[in-house]
Amino acid sequence: MDKVIILSQDFKYSNMITYDAGPGYAELMGWQYDYLNNIQLYSNSIIIIDNRISELECFKLQEYISQNKKYNFLLKIVDPYEEWCRNHHYYRFLFEIKNHQNVFFLSVYKPAELTKEINDLTDNTKMVFIPYAFKDTYKLKNSLSSRKKKIVFSGNLDPNVYPYRYDFLKKIKRNPLLWNKICLLKHPGYPDINQKLLHNVVGNKYIEFLSQFKFMFISPSRCGLEFLKYSECAYAQCVPIGKAPLSFSNKLQDCFINIDFSDFYKSINYIFSIPVSELQNITENYYYTFEQERNPELLNSQLDTFLEQVIA
């Protein structure tokens, strides 16, 4: 099916630190993109709506959807968190249009909290889970043997949303014997929502930074979500440690080293005792499994199957 993702005219995608929306996301999925002012040009396509549209654009889009019942709209959703999203203009918009027959939802995460609520309110028939695509443009070659034997750690530390990250760092800080085993990269902030950019290790530079280390700590939020960090670990070809998301297949879980938080010190020391040859096998299996299970062609095929089922 022909697809186009419609982007905001108002939002500055160039300020984003990741490719979870906008042109970068469209490129990963292999989709054409255009802006809201040109939406009328795509009556023969599945119209996917980017989640960064402004509040004013939501009003315009709601009217357009109501007036064009023959067109099909797929609304992209990212964060599901109650405290962050309930009163956000985009989520209010989603709840208002959820029952339109020509409206469907694409969640990049397994439905949880608000996204699960939308899914439940629409009889679990209008939402599809399509994770972020894996498309390696970095092609890094440096082997694990030449890397620093440390765990690289980064990410937002809100304890309510990211409890595993918070607990990991707290346990590290409480044990001086573990201090030399990690490298902490502070979160750069979100300049796309007017926060100050604290450092420029983002985008390509972030992947290059990760590739200096043997291990990368990754964990889901309290909702068990598959963040971009899981694919960024594969791009950098680090050993993935921490906690796997709920959406991982058995094959992907087999490539992931889970940390036992109840016996933390022993768990970390075990990871550091694994021979480099075995670690190399883990990174290679993780990379190739991610490449197989998150490739854009497969994800688009899964999306097409959903659309064929729901669109008359």
Side-chain angles (χ1 to χ4, degrees), residues 164-181:
Y164 304 107
R165 287 183 201 169
Y166 182 81
D167 287 348
F168 176 86
L169 199 56
K170 183 172 66 175
K171 288 179 182 295
I172 290 286
K173 288 180 176 179
R174 285 179 175 177
N175 192 332
L177 296 176
L178 297 177
W179 290 354
N180 67 342
K181 294 186 183 297

Side-chain angles (χ1 to χ4, degrees), residues 242-303:
K243 187 174 178 64
L246 296 177
S247 51
F248 267 15
S249 67
N250 289 336
K251 285 184 68 176
L252 275 173
Q253 288 184 40
D254 289 343
C255 304
F256 200 93
I257 303 178
N258 287 289
I259 292 176
D260 181 359
F261 282 81
S262 65
D263 198 351
F264 188 79
Y265 183 73
K266 182 178 179 181
S267 186
I268 295 296
N269 280 326
Y270 163 72
I271 290 168
F272 275 75
S273 72
I274 300 173
V276 173
S277 59
E278 188 175 335
L279 294 176
Q280 190 71 50
N281 287 335
I282 291 171
T283 60
E284 290 174 1
N285 288 335
Y286 185 67
Y287 179 96
Y288 290 119
T289 306
F290 227 103
E291 189 177 44
Q292 290 174 348
E293 297 190 7
R294 298 293 182 262
N295 76 76
E297 288 186 7
L298 175 64
L299 297 181
N300 275 288
S301 175
Q302 293 170 350
L303 179 55

Side-chain angles (χ1 to χ4, degrees), residues 13-49:
Y13 292 97
S14 59
N15 286 341
M16 294 176 60
I17 62 172
T18 63
Y19 297 133
D20 64 350
Y25 174 76
E27 183 179 350
L28 284 176
M29 293 299 296
W31 297 339
Q32 180 182 0
Y33 70 87
D34 207 335
Y35 294 87
L36 188 57
N37 285 1
N38 295 324
I39 192 172
Q40 72 281 355
L41 301 177
Y42 300 98
S43 58
N44 294 322
S45 300
I46 301 296
I47 301 171
I48 303 167
I49 304 299

Side-chain angles (χ1 to χ4, degrees), residues 38-82:
N38 295 324
I39 192 172
Q40 72 281 355
L41 301 177
Y42 300 98
S43 58
N44 294 322
S45 300
I46 301 296
I47 301 171
I48 303 167
I49 304 299
D50 189 70
N51 56 293
R52 303 312 292 264
I53 61 173
S54 68
E55 187 166 11
L56 178 59
E57 289 173 324
C58 283
F59 288 118
K60 293 178 180 178
L61 190 55
Q62 186 169 355
E63 182 179 1
Y64 187 80
I65 290 172
S66 298
Q67 292 175 351
N68 294 274
K69 298 184 185 302
K70 293 183 179 179
Y71 303 166
N72 293 295
F73 300 88
L74 192 61
L75 285 296
K76 176 171 167 271
I77 315 177
V78 180
D79 288 333
Y81 310 114
E82 173 73 30

